Short mmCIF file of all heavy atoms in Angstrom, two decimals:
data_model
loop_
_atom_site.label_atom_id
_atom_site.label_comp_id
_atom_site.label_asym_id
_atom_site.label_seq_id
_atom_site.Cartn_x
_atom_site.Cartn_y
_atom_site.Cartn_z
N GLU A 843 117.24 124.77 100.45
CA GLU A 843 117.87 123.49 100.74
C GLU A 843 116.96 122.53 101.46
O GLU A 843 117.01 121.32 101.22
CB GLU A 843 119.16 123.76 101.59
CG GLU A 843 120.24 124.58 100.92
CD GLU A 843 120.80 123.89 99.65
OE1 GLU A 843 120.60 122.69 99.48
OE2 GLU A 843 121.35 124.62 98.82
N LEU A 844 116.13 123.05 102.34
CA LEU A 844 115.17 122.22 103.06
C LEU A 844 114.14 121.64 102.08
O LEU A 844 113.69 120.48 102.19
CB LEU A 844 114.46 122.98 104.16
CG LEU A 844 115.37 123.33 105.35
CD1 LEU A 844 114.59 124.15 106.37
CD2 LEU A 844 115.98 122.14 106.05
N SER A 845 113.72 122.44 101.09
CA SER A 845 112.76 121.98 100.08
C SER A 845 113.40 120.86 99.23
O SER A 845 112.71 119.86 98.92
CB SER A 845 112.40 123.12 99.17
OG SER A 845 111.67 124.10 99.89
N LYS A 846 114.68 121.00 98.93
CA LYS A 846 115.39 119.94 98.18
C LYS A 846 115.44 118.67 99.05
O LYS A 846 115.20 117.60 98.49
CB LYS A 846 116.81 120.47 97.88
CG LYS A 846 117.67 119.43 97.15
CD LYS A 846 119.07 120.03 96.95
CE LYS A 846 120.03 118.99 96.35
NZ LYS A 846 121.43 119.48 96.28
N ALA A 847 115.75 118.84 100.32
CA ALA A 847 115.79 117.66 101.20
C ALA A 847 114.45 116.99 101.28
O ALA A 847 114.35 115.75 101.34
CB ALA A 847 116.30 118.08 102.59
N MET A 848 113.39 117.80 101.40
CA MET A 848 112.05 117.25 101.51
C MET A 848 111.66 116.49 100.27
O MET A 848 111.04 115.41 100.30
CB MET A 848 111.04 118.38 101.77
CG MET A 848 109.60 117.93 101.95
SD MET A 848 109.37 116.66 103.21
CE MET A 848 109.75 117.64 104.71
N LYS A 849 112.01 116.99 99.09
CA LYS A 849 111.66 116.33 97.83
C LYS A 849 112.34 114.93 97.78
O LYS A 849 111.72 113.97 97.43
CB LYS A 849 112.04 117.14 96.61
CG LYS A 849 111.66 116.47 95.30
CD LYS A 849 112.04 117.26 94.10
CE LYS A 849 111.49 116.65 92.80
NZ LYS A 849 111.71 115.18 92.74
N GLU A 850 113.60 114.91 98.13
CA GLU A 850 114.36 113.62 98.12
C GLU A 850 113.84 112.64 99.19
O GLU A 850 113.80 111.46 98.93
CB GLU A 850 115.83 113.90 98.25
CG GLU A 850 116.43 114.62 97.05
CD GLU A 850 117.96 114.78 97.13
OE1 GLU A 850 118.59 113.99 97.88
OE2 GLU A 850 118.45 115.73 96.50
N ALA A 851 113.54 113.17 100.33
CA ALA A 851 113.01 112.34 101.42
C ALA A 851 111.64 111.76 101.04
O ALA A 851 111.27 110.61 101.35
CB ALA A 851 112.90 113.12 102.72
N THR A 852 110.80 112.58 100.29
CA THR A 852 109.55 112.13 99.79
C THR A 852 109.67 111.00 98.83
O THR A 852 108.98 110.02 98.92
CB THR A 852 108.76 113.32 99.20
OG1 THR A 852 108.59 114.34 100.22
CG2 THR A 852 107.42 112.90 98.62
N ASP A 853 110.55 111.14 97.87
CA ASP A 853 110.79 110.11 96.86
C ASP A 853 111.25 108.82 97.56
O ASP A 853 110.84 107.71 97.20
CB ASP A 853 111.80 110.57 95.83
CG ASP A 853 111.30 111.68 94.96
OD1 ASP A 853 110.07 111.89 94.85
OD2 ASP A 853 112.15 112.41 94.35
N PHE A 854 112.14 108.99 98.52
CA PHE A 854 112.66 107.79 99.25
C PHE A 854 111.55 107.16 100.02
O PHE A 854 111.35 105.91 99.91
CB PHE A 854 113.74 108.29 100.23
CG PHE A 854 114.16 107.24 101.25
CD1 PHE A 854 114.98 106.19 100.91
CD2 PHE A 854 113.64 107.29 102.52
CE1 PHE A 854 115.29 105.25 101.82
CE2 PHE A 854 113.99 106.36 103.50
CZ PHE A 854 114.79 105.34 103.15
N GLY A 855 110.79 107.89 100.80
CA GLY A 855 109.73 107.33 101.66
C GLY A 855 108.62 106.65 100.86
O GLY A 855 108.22 105.55 101.19
N ASN A 856 108.24 107.29 99.77
CA ASN A 856 107.15 106.71 98.95
C ASN A 856 107.60 105.45 98.20
O ASN A 856 106.79 104.55 98.02
CB ASN A 856 106.67 107.78 97.96
CG ASN A 856 105.83 108.86 98.64
OD1 ASN A 856 105.49 108.74 99.83
ND2 ASN A 856 105.52 109.92 97.94
N SER A 857 108.86 105.40 97.85
CA SER A 857 109.34 104.15 97.24
C SER A 857 109.43 102.98 98.24
O SER A 857 109.35 101.86 97.87
CB SER A 857 110.79 104.38 96.55
OG SER A 857 111.71 104.60 97.58
N GLN A 858 109.64 103.34 99.49
CA GLN A 858 109.73 102.35 100.56
C GLN A 858 108.39 101.80 100.97
O GLN A 858 108.22 100.66 101.43
CB GLN A 858 110.41 102.94 101.76
CG GLN A 858 111.88 103.27 101.63
CD GLN A 858 112.73 102.03 101.59
OE1 GLN A 858 112.69 101.17 102.44
NE2 GLN A 858 113.45 101.85 100.48
N SER A 859 107.36 102.60 100.81
CA SER A 859 106.05 102.30 101.39
C SER A 859 105.49 100.94 100.93
O SER A 859 105.13 100.05 101.66
CB SER A 859 105.02 103.41 101.05
OG SER A 859 103.75 103.03 101.48
N ALA A 860 105.41 100.80 99.59
CA ALA A 860 104.79 99.54 98.99
C ALA A 860 105.65 98.32 99.42
O ALA A 860 105.09 97.28 99.77
CB ALA A 860 104.69 99.68 97.48
#
Side-chain angles (χ1 to χ4, degrees):
E843 296 300 340
L844 291 178
S845 295
K846 179 183 173 186
M848 180 57 66
K849 184 181 185 312
E850 292 183 25
T852 298
D853 292 342
F854 167 79
N856 288 348
S857 70
Q858 291 290 302
S859 174

